[in-house]
Amino acid sequence: MAKLAHDHTAEDCVELVTIFQNLSKKDKDTIATLVTHHHYKSGEYLFSAGDASDSLIIVAHGQAKVFQMSANGKEQMLRILQTGDFDGEAALFSNTDHNSFAQTLMDTDVCQISRSDFQKLMQETPEMAVNMVNALGRRIAQLEQQTTEVTTASVESRLANYLLETSAGLDEEIFTLPLKKKDIATYLGTTPETISRKLTSLAKQGMIEKISNNKFKILDTDRLMMID
Amino acid sequence: MAKLAHDHTAEDCVELVTIFQNLSKKDKDTIATLVTHHHYKSGEYLFSAGDASDSLIIVAHGQAKVFQMSANGKEQMLRILQTGDFDGEAALFSNTDHNSFAQTLMDTDVCQISRSDFQKLMQETPEMAVNMVNALGRRIAQLEQQTTEVTTASVESRLANYLLETSAGLDEEIFTLPLKKKDIATYLGTTPETISRKLTSLAKQGMIEKISNNKFKILDTDRLMMID
DNA sequence: CGGAATCTTGAGGCCCGTCAATAACGGTGG
DNA sequence: CCACCGTTATTGACGGGCCTCAAGATTCCG
């Protein structure tokens, strides 16, 4: 394997992650000693459903998708882990298995803390526990939003929202969809075919412009927001 | 207002709620002094979207539904708060408004702790913060499950699961649906008409027996689990 | 007992999922 | 640089599940 372009150390993880950010230097140093890190190539799994779930996983650099598999074999995307995000499930309950999958979307560096170390850490560092509570609260709000949208809004509306969210923050006029259509589809609770159709439909209606198959330009934010 | 059948005191709240349960007597007493309680009649709102969100709300006795309202006016049920459950959102972020509604389904007693008191409590009582993290983690797992089911499984399958979950725990053969069809519908992301149709369909297929419009008997657990 | 809310049942239609075939893309090696 | 092949995306035809609208039946509760 090629040498990493950047070296990602335990300190990097601690600096990157929001739940550690406002802690004292001393606390951060302690945490750094508890962390192990690993490199994954694009497409590898961080964990699969059924795996023993025994550590908190932090994305130090890269991107991974977390999804569940339903009884009939359909994927449902739960979230995209970006640099600095973590997957909590693992560190919270004792003796439960993962019920979801995490697969990297690019080469990705990951840090881990074992459940027991993490639980000890929360006992000893209340600020960290409070940070954790806040992070989980945000996650809950986001999931509630996702559930509501998926059941109450049309695919066209969900897709429009997704485009607006994805393009927000980038002040580029033209932006690139960061995911394959299949992944966008499972994120929005639909199929790649429908995504494809709705994108051309939005383009025909003049709300977006299609530059290439995954590059787009927002033409009419207001109308996109009003769909459905 | 009539005198309450049972007196629900601050101590009751503290005893009832899982996040307080394994704390020391001393800690519990402290918490009890921070709690205020209120009685609500059936159908009243504990809070509405847009209200300032400034306290943790605990259901000491009764039942309430928490739901969001989508842009096009549809309700999406997020969860049912039972005795001992709490709504977290409020106590976690600073200066955000509620984005959901909570409405009682029967006469209900509620306890509250202000956000500032609760945040202080977490700082001073790490065990409580850890309890909170665990409770939120469970809630996340449940929401992820709900999102996945709602997008990947048919209404019939979701309803079958709901019936199994609702009847589980009660060893009664015949059980009563605790919610109106409209509420079941918004919980499962569908409409009352569809719920009605699917229930008669399940009965025709011999998997359940319809005793009255809201009393049912499970006849074939295995087939109910296999739907879809 | 009476009126309001809830539930049931039917008819009709549309959104979107499925299946399938073609096209475009992207990386690899010659 | 181009030819090649697997992956991904597009487009069409079709069907079905579920939503909508509406009317009638039933239940609930004062």
Side-chain angles (χ1 to χ4, degrees), chain A residues 68 70 72 76 78 92-93 119 123 126 129-130 133-134 136-140 144 147-148 150-152 228, chain B residues 68 70 72 76 78 92-93 119 123 126 129-130 133-134 136-140 143-144 147-148 150-152:
Chain A
Q68 284 189 340
S70 71
N72 54 34
Q76 170 62 40
L78 295 172
L92 306 178
F93 317 120
Q119 298 266 359
Q123 293 283 353
V130 173
V133 167
N134 283 312
L136 294 178
R138 263 188 294 277
R139 175 83 189 110
I140 287 174
E144 290 180 341
T147 303
T148 300
V150 134
T151 59
T152 60
D228 208 357
Chain B
Q68 284 189 341
S70 72
N72 55 34
Q76 171 62 40
L78 295 171
L92 306 178
F93 317 121
Q119 298 265 1
Q123 293 283 355
V130 172
V133 167
N134 283 314
L136 293 178
R138 263 186 293 277
R139 173 87 188 109
I140 287 174
L143 268 169
E144 289 180 342
T147 303
T148 300
V150 133
T151 58
T152 60

Side-chain angles (χ1 to χ4, degrees), chain A residues 212-226:
Chain A
S212 75
N213 80 55
N214 63 346
K215 282 199 200 314
F216 292 86
K217 185 168 162 185
I218 305 278
L219 296 180
D220 193 337
T221 304
D222 293 345
R223 267 166 71 211
L224 283 172
M225 288 195 303
M226 301 259 313

Side-chain angles (χ1 to χ4, degrees), chain B residues 159-222:
Chain B
L159 178 57
N161 270 332
Y162 176 78
L163 292 176
L164 290 171
E165 283 168 19
T166 304
S167 67
L170 327 167
D171 35 36
E172 297 291 327
E173 285 280 287
I174 294 166
F175 66 96
T176 304
L177 292 179
L179 298 177
K180 289 182 234 167
K181 298 241 158 61
K182 184 198 163 227
D183 286 332
I184 298 177
T186 71
Y187 182 66
L188 298 179
T190 179
T191 61
E193 294 95 324
T194 298
I195 295 288
S196 199
R197 281 188 252 268
K198 292 301 180 189
L199 280 172
T200 62
S201 162
L202 289 177
K204 268 198 189 105
Q205 295 171 64
M207 301 192 219
I208 62 174
E209 187 186 338
K210 191 171 175 173
I211 310 294
S212 75
N213 81 51
N214 64 346
K215 282 198 200 314
F216 292 86
K217 185 168 161 186
I218 305 279
L219 296 179
D220 194 335
T221 304
D222 293 346

